[in-house]
Amino acid sequence: MPTILVVNVNTSEAVTEVIRRSAQAAVSATTRIVALTPTFGPASVESNYESYLSAVGVLDAVQNHDGEFDAVVHAGFGEVGREALQDVLHVPVVDITEAAAYTACLLGRTYGVVTSLDRAAPAIHDRLLLAGLAGRCVGIRSVDLPVLELEANPEVTAKGFVDQARRLVEDDGAEVVLLGCAGMSGVHETVTAALAVPVVDGVAAGARLAESLVALGLSTSKVRSYAPPRAKDVRGWPLRAGAGGGGRSSGGLGR
């Protein structure tokens, strides 16, 4: 019975629960989803500054998780931090931005992204560029709602996502739509019902891809890019001395 950690990048327990439900619904009944909330970090991640803060909180949460796990899903759309997890873990690590885009590329020639705020678009584009997937993206549109307000008025949120998704399809030429914000399972259903194109929830795609990697017996290459950090002193490291839980940590920071 494989266990997959799905890590929220912000400190909202409500968002973590939505993410957990979305991930659990996407995987097999024999796969266990454990959702983690960082013990410190921003309440929502909507800037480069907050993204880098959250990356450290996520690293701390995963390295100090008490229990075995077989894969990790980094549940931040357009956020940094996936690479650090790959450095310190021997299990597969899947980022939801890349998972959503890879899935979209299997479903259509082009895709577009609907996210919360327009200022998030450059960071999402950067993640897609880094993954080599930006060439298939025809647009990134926003509903102009902060992350923590998305759940406050579900009807307004759903309408905003449907309207922007329709513009991606009709004006930009998208054949697949990605939901560029974690924990949008309810919106996913509404957008899917409104449009005649595939709609990809990054959390669901990430959880299923992570499960597949575990089943295939595959994990991150340690030859070069994600080799374990070399042992050295880290001055003033403020975090807990993570033992890596049961997730087969490679060592490095926080050890």
Side-chain angles (χ1 to χ4, degrees), residues 206-218:
R208 192 70 178 190
L209 285 175
E211 181 184 50
S212 297
L213 291 174
V214 173
L216 290 168
L218 298 173

Side-chain angles (χ1 to χ4, degrees), residues 34-66:
V34 175
L36 300 183
T37 306
T39 59
F40 63 89
S44 63
V45 184
E46 296 167 334
S47 67
N48 294 310
Y49 169 73
E50 292 163 344
S51 186
Y52 280 95
L53 287 179
S54 76
V56 182
V58 165
L59 182 64
D60 177 67
V62 172
Q63 284 198 284
N64 286 281
H65 175 68
D66 185 18

Side-chain angles (χ1 to χ4, degrees), residues 11-226:
T11 56
S12 167
E13 293 285 359
V15 171
T16 301
E17 176 57 20
V18 173
I19 289 171
R20 185 197 66 78
R21 292 199 303 265
S22 180
Q24 190 67 69
V27 298
S28 305
T30 54
T31 295
R32 176 171 170 252
I33 295 293
V34 175
L36 300 183
T37 306
T39 59
F40 63 89
S44 63
V45 184
E46 296 167 334
S47 67
N48 294 310
Y49 169 73
E50 292 163 344
S51 186
Y52 280 95
L53 287 179
S54 76
V56 182
V58 165
L59 182 64
D60 177 67
V62 172
Q63 284 198 284
N64 286 281
H65 175 68
D66 185 18
E68 295 284 341
F69 54 93
D70 301 284
V72 175
V73 174
H74 181 261
F77 209 99
E79 312 306 339
V80 301
R82 181 263 297 164
E83 297 89 344
L85 291 171
Q86 287 181 301
D87 277 1
V88 301
L89 297 175
H90 282 298
V91 299
V93 179
V94 176
D95 175 82
I96 65 169
T97 320
E98 297 166 4
Y102 282 124
T103 302
C105 288
L106 299 174
L107 302 173
R109 183 176 178 275
T110 60
Y111 67 87
V113 181
V114 184
T115 190
S116 54
L117 294 174
D118 182 63
R119 71 167 299 166
I124 292 172
H125 186 252
D126 285 350
R127 298 305 296 178
L128 295 174
L129 275 174
L130 187 64
L133 297 165
R136 304 275 288 272
C137 180
V138 295
I140 301 173
R141 294 184 177 271
S142 68
V143 296
D144 199 28
L145 286 171
V147 171
L148 296 181
E149 292 183 18
L150 294 176
E151 295 290 330
N153 194 330
E155 291 184 3
V156 171
T157 298
K159 183 180 184 304
F161 271 81
V162 169
D163 289 346
Q164 295 306 317
R166 182 171 285 112
R167 291 183 65 188
L168 283 170
V169 174
E170 296 179 356
D171 299 341
D172 302 332
E175 297 176 3
V176 182
V177 171
L178 313 188
L179 300 182
C181 188
M184 291 284 95
S185 56
V187 172
H188 174 268
E189 296 168 0
T190 303
V191 177
T192 299
L195 301 175
V197 299
V199 179
V200 181
D201 171 15
V203 172
R208 192 70 178 190
L209 285 175
E211 181 184 50
S212 297
L213 291 174
V214 173
L216 290 168
L218 298 173
S219 191
T220 306
S221 171
K222 293 294 178 178
V223 170
R224 184 180 299 157
S225 301
Y226 306 113

